[in-house]
Amino acid sequence: MSAKIIAIVNQKGGAGKTTVSMQFGGTLGLRGKIIQIIDGDEQHSAVAWSSMAEEGSPFPAKVMSLAAAGRKIHQEIKKFYEGNEYIIVDCPPAADSPITKSVLLVADLAIVPFIPDGLNMTAAVKIRDTIEDAKIMNPYLRGLLLLNRVEPNTKITMEVMKLLPEFNMPKANIKLHKRTHYA
């Protein structure tokens, strides 16, 4: 069995990369899938999150940090291909990060958590371009916008939603609404 690699990427911090990584990985784990979450961010938020699981009820996916591997993280990820169905990589908040670029070399899918506002739109352009550049070396890589912290019926959300077709990246069919429960 060879794992599918899903990179959770964005230029901007606070867009929800770790939240999406942990919720997605945890949900797949609860559904019986064999999941490895790799924390590629030097803040180690994913590792910290998994350690907060209640005693006797461990987080339903394996979580480890490979941030120290830097631009060679793609070589380390390959060691986890066998024995896992999915490898989810929580990348650092930087489109030009050597870690992000390295992960995209082996990823099947790059999910971009995207908060529909002006600052996030600007940041998403940078990560979209990084994903496009990675496709030169990894032609199988697909990018997908995942709307996060959506506040429906606000003017800024409606304006950004009108611009998304011009963004040139497919959008997930689901939206994550702004909820304190996720945090």
Side-chain angles (χ1 to χ4, degrees):
M1 161 186 1
S2 187
K4 295 289 182 192
I5 314 299
I6 301 169
I8 312 297
V9 299
N10 197 318
Q11 164 70 18
K12 190 172 177 314
K17 291 178 300 302
T18 302
T19 301
V20 168
S21 297
M22 298 304 285
Q23 294 290 338
F24 188 38
T27 298
L28 288 172
L30 288 172
R31 291 183 178 181
K33 303 295 182 188
I34 303 168
I35 310 300
Q36 176 69 59
I37 297 174
I38 294 176
D39 194 337
D41 189 343
E42 292 178 354
Q43 295 179 49
H44 307 292
S45 298
V47 171
W49 186 322
S50 69
S51 71
M52 289 187 259
E54 291 182 26
E55 190 70 35
S57 181
F59 188 75
K62 299 168 287 195
V63 182
M64 68 175 303
S65 176
L66 287 178
R71 71 178 204 273
K72 304 266 185 170
I73 194 170
H74 67 284
Q75 293 176 347
E76 295 301 310
I77 290 170
K78 289 178 182 180
K79 295 175 183 177
F80 297 93
Y81 281 2
E82 297 303 319
N84 288 298
E85 293 176 78
Y86 295 93
I87 298 171
I88 299 169
V89 186
D90 181 19
C91 291
D96 60 353
S97 162
I99 292 172
T100 299
K101 289 180 177 183
S102 179
V103 169
L104 292 174
L105 293 176
V106 294
D108 298 292
L109 177 64
I111 296 177
V112 181
F114 176 79
I115 300 168
D117 67 25
L119 288 175
N120 281 276
M121 187 71 152
T122 302
V125 168
K126 292 178 184 175
I127 198 65
R128 180 203 59 201
D129 293 347
T130 299
I131 292 167
E132 288 302 312
D133 291 347
K135 287 181 181 180
I136 294 167
M137 297 297 291
N138 180 3
Y140 301 106
L141 176 63
R142 292 182 14 240
L144 184 68
L145 280 177
L146 174 61
L147 296 171
N148 188 27
R149 290 198 218 153
V150 176
E151 296 184 75
N153 303 319
T154 62
K155 186 175 180 178
I156 187 70
T157 297
M158 290 188 281
E159 288 177 11
V160 169
M161 295 298 281
K162 286 180 195 173
L163 295 172
L164 284 182
E166 299 172 25
F167 189 69
N168 209 20
M169 181 183 283
K171 178 175 66 75
N173 292 332
I174 62 167
K175 298 178 213 170
L176 303 175
H177 293 274
K178 187 173 184 177
R179 296 185 62 200
T180 56
H181 180 72
Y182 292 133

